[in-house]
């Protein structure tokens, strides 16, 4: 599906009328057919791309929370689909109208509220999974607070990591700037005041070479890490809402970070599955929906394999008891004796995964502090190391002045 902006003309009693309308359809030919059905004429059609400001607004946690709260408030007197339609039609801000245009088109074509929310391409998988689980249980308005809580919690975790990285980045930038600006000056001074004694000159050259090599290594490493982090941030921002992309695959291979993302993936999918089961959604549909609750491939594969085993007649406990669940989680599943217990056990696993994610989040922050401290230590250590070279230069100068 693609959002299109079409300039069209209508025949009116006062003459032709030119207007610009937004369409959310698969191809440009579908847009032409829709315009023809209205008895209008196509002047131009072009794909619509959101401006950077619109993308920033649409993907902000604040906008997502306000959107869901608006649907929840209006759902008290109407169905969620009608509530969302009224909310879109009552919007007067042109920028927000552009953001909501795909949802308006989806609803006007008779699609459901979940299809409309997905068409916006602004929500993460876990948020959509919570909402979809609630909709399948016919309790979408009750599931919205859980989705808002999930968005808020992730925003807090992200703010904690971003704040830490910003502070540490400032420290590293300060040291790096000092090395960049001072390297050539210091090394030039050393070379101009090298000892005259051949024995000391050999040691002096070796020390200066090691110092220059250390500074170059620190500078190149800092630039490489900065480039990698900027690429990851930009890629995650640009591909938000997508299942898989290069930066995500690279980040998942980082041991601690990959484990953190896996814990969040299981926590979100288990929570969504438990809500659907409590809403009497069939177990097969629950597993299919839970597999879409995360972008982690191994978590998605877990639910799909469980669904496949259930289709082959394997018991519920045996189907769920598989890797990459931990030993403690599999022991809980081993106690399963009744289908009514499944939702409770899934909620328990989700809680354990949430706790594990919080622990890993803290470890990531402290590890960042530790690695930054190592970088700063190397920077300060090399500066202290430079003092020994300076002493050798000063000794050479004093010797030259005394004529000895």
């Amino acid at each position: 599906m693609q959002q299109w902006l079409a300039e069209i003309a209508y025949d009116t009693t006062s003459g032709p009328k030119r207007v610009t309308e937004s369409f959310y359809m698969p191809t440009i030919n579908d847009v032409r057919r829709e315009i023809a059905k209205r008895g209008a004429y196509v002047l131009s059609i072009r794909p619509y791309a959101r401006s950077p400001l619109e993308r920033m607004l649409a993907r902000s946690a604040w906008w997502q929370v306000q959107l869901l709260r608006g649907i929840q408030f209006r759902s008290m007197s109407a169905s969620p689909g009608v509530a969302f339609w009224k909310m879109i039609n009552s919007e007067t801000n042109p920028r927000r109208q552009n953001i909501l245009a795909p949802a308006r088109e989806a609803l006007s074509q008779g699609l459901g509220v979940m299809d409309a929310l997905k068409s916006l391409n602004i929500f993460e998988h876990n948020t959509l999974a919570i909402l979809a689980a609630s909709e399948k249980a016919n309790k979408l308005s009750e599931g919205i607070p859980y989705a808002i809580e999930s968005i808020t919690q992730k925003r807090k975790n992200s703010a904690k990591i971003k704040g830490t990285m910003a502070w540490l980045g400032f420290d590293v930038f300060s040291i790096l700037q000092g090395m960049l600006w001072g390297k050539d000056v210091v090394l030039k001074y050393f070379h101009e005041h090298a000892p005259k004694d051949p024995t000391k000159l050999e040691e002096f050259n070796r020390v200066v070479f090691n110092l220059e090599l250390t500074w170059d290594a620190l500078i190149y490493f800092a630039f490489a890490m900065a480039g990698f982090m900027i690429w990851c941030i930009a890629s995650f921002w640009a591909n938000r809402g997508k299942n898989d992309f290069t930066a995500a695959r690279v980040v998942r291979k980082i041991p601690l970070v990959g484990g953190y993302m896996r814990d969040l993936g299981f926590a979100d999918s288990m929570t969504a599955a438990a809500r659907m089961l409590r809403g009497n959604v069939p177990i097969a549909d629950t597993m299919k929906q839970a597999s879409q609750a995360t972008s982690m491939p191994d978590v998605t594969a877990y639910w799909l394999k469980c669904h496949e085993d259930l289709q082959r007649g394997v018991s519920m406990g045996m189907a769920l008891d598989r890797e990459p669940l931990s030993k403690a989680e599999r022991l809980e599943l081993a106690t399963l004796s009744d289908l009514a217990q499944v939702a409770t056990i899934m909620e328990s696993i989700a809680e354990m995964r949430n706790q594990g994610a919080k622990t890993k989040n803290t470890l990531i922050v402290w590890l960042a502090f530790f690695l930054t401290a190592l970088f700063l230590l190397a920077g300060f250590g090399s500066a202290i190391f430079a003092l020994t070279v300076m002493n050798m230069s000063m000794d050479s100068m004093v010797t030259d002045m005394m004529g000895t």
Side-chain angles (χ1 to χ4, degrees):
M1 300 288 278
Q2 168 71 44
Q3 188 175 355
W4 307 86
L5 279 185
E7 190 177 6
I8 59 180
Y10 289 96
D11 285 328
T12 64
T13 55
S14 58
K17 179 181 178 183
R18 177 183 294 185
V19 296
T20 300
E21 293 189 15
S22 174
F23 296 86
Y24 187 71
M25 294 183 172
T27 65
I28 192 171
N29 291 328
D30 294 320
V31 179
R32 293 183 186 278
R33 282 193 290 269
E34 179 63 26
I35 295 173
K37 288 180 183 178
R38 300 182 183 183
Y41 304 95
V42 177
L43 299 179
S44 66
I45 303 175
R46 63 180 176 87
Y48 176 76
R50 289 174 181 165
S51 66
L53 187 59
E54 287 178 359
R55 288 198 297 270
M56 187 178 297
L57 173 62
R59 294 175 179 176
S60 67
W62 175 85
W63 161 257
Q64 294 176 16
V65 169
Q66 294 303 313
L67 179 63
L68 293 178
R69 282 177 177 167
I71 297 174
Q72 182 186 19
F73 176 76
R74 288 172 174 79
S75 296
M76 295 179 181
S77 57
S79 67
V82 173
F84 195 15
W85 177 260
K86 290 181 177 179
M87 180 180 175
I88 294 172
N89 288 334
S90 64
E91 184 58 64
T92 57
N93 186 294
R95 184 170 290 112
R96 294 181 181 178
Q97 287 177 343
N98 286 336
I99 295 172
L100 294 171
R104 180 173 63 82
E105 288 296 323
L107 291 172
S108 66
Q109 294 173 25
L111 301 178
V113 64
M114 283 307 306
D115 294 311
L117 289 173
K118 289 178 181 178
S119 71
L120 295 176
N121 196 29
I122 62 175
F123 292 103
E124 294 186 355
H125 291 84
N126 66 299
T127 305
L128 290 173
I130 293 172
L131 295 172
S134 302
E135 186 199 35
K136 283 185 174 292
N138 294 320
K139 298 178 181 179
L140 179 60
S141 59
E142 295 179 15
I144 288 178
Y146 292 95
I148 292 175
E149 182 182 358
S150 174
I151 294 172
T152 305
Q153 185 61 45
K154 278 185 170 52
R155 181 174 60 182
K156 290 179 180 178
N157 291 340
S158 298
K160 181 179 178 182
I161 293 178
K162 289 175 183 176
T164 302
M165 294 303 178
W167 177 258
L168 297 178
F170 175 77
D171 288 342
V172 173
F173 175 76
S174 301
I175 298 296
L176 182 61
Q177 187 181 36
M179 287 191 289
L180 282 172
W181 287 101
K183 174 190 169 186
D184 293 337
V185 175
V186 173
L187 292 177
K188 180 180 178 182
Y189 172 82
F190 287 160
H191 286 300
E192 289 177 350
H193 299 85
K196 298 295 188 291
D197 186 351
T199 305
K200 290 185 177 180
L201 180 60
E202 182 181 357
E203 181 184 358
F204 176 87
N205 289 333
R206 178 178 57 81
V207 172
V208 171
F209 173 78
N210 290 336
L211 177 61
E212 184 177 8
L213 186 64
T214 301
W215 280 353
D216 285 340
L218 290 175
I219 291 170
Y220 290 140
F221 176 76
F223 274 114
M225 290 303 298
F228 174 74
M229 292 180 66
I230 291 172
W231 172 69
C232 286
I233 293 171
S235 183
F236 271 90
W237 181 263
N239 293 285
R240 191 171 183 176
K242 293 184 179 179
N243 289 331
D244 200 17
F245 48 96
T246 304
R249 290 193 292 270
V250 172
V251 171
R252 283 196 296 263
K253 292 181 180 179
I254 303 175
L256 190 58
V257 177
Y260 169 72
M261 296 174 66
R262 188 179 301 107
D263 283 347
L264 288 179
F266 266 116
D268 294 336
S269 59
M270 287 286 180
T271 300
R275 287 191 60 79
M276 283 186 281
L277 290 176
R278 293 197 182 281
N280 297 320
V281 176
I283 187 64
D285 293 340
T286 295
M287 289 185 173
K288 280 187 177 180
Q289 190 64 48
S291 69
Q292 302 174 16
T294 175
S295 59
M296 292 296 292
D298 48 354
V299 179
T300 299
Y302 168 83
W303 288 107
L304 293 178
K305 288 177 182 177
C306 291
H307 178 265
E308 182 182 345
D309 283 353
L310 278 179
Q311 296 296 98
R312 293 192 293 107
V314 178
S315 65
M316 174 69 70
M318 292 181 64
L320 293 173
D321 183 9
R322 66 175 67 246
E323 294 183 349
L325 292 182
S326 66
K327 185 177 180 180
E329 292 164 346
R330 297 177 72 172
L331 285 175
E332 282 207 42
L333 290 171
T335 63
L336 181 64
S337 60
D338 191 337
L339 186 61
Q341 298 176 345
V342 177
T344 302
I345 293 177
M346 286 184 175
E347 288 171 343
S348 175
I349 293 175
E351 180 62 27
M352 286 192 291
R353 288 286 178 167
N354 271 322
Q355 291 299 323
K358 289 179 181 178
T359 302
K360 289 182 176 65
N361 182 280
T362 303
L363 287 175
I364 290 171
V365 171
W366 281 108
L367 182 61
F369 272 111
F370 176 73
L371 294 177
T372 306
L374 285 181
F375 183 86
L376 298 179
L377 180 62
F380 282 120
S382 61
I384 295 172
F385 183 68
L387 293 177
T388 64
V389 184
M390 188 177 295
N391 289 335
M392 295 172 67
S393 297
M394 293 299 293
D395 290 343
S396 175
M397 291 176 60
V398 171
T399 301
D400 291 342
M401 292 174 61
M402 295 180 66
T404 58

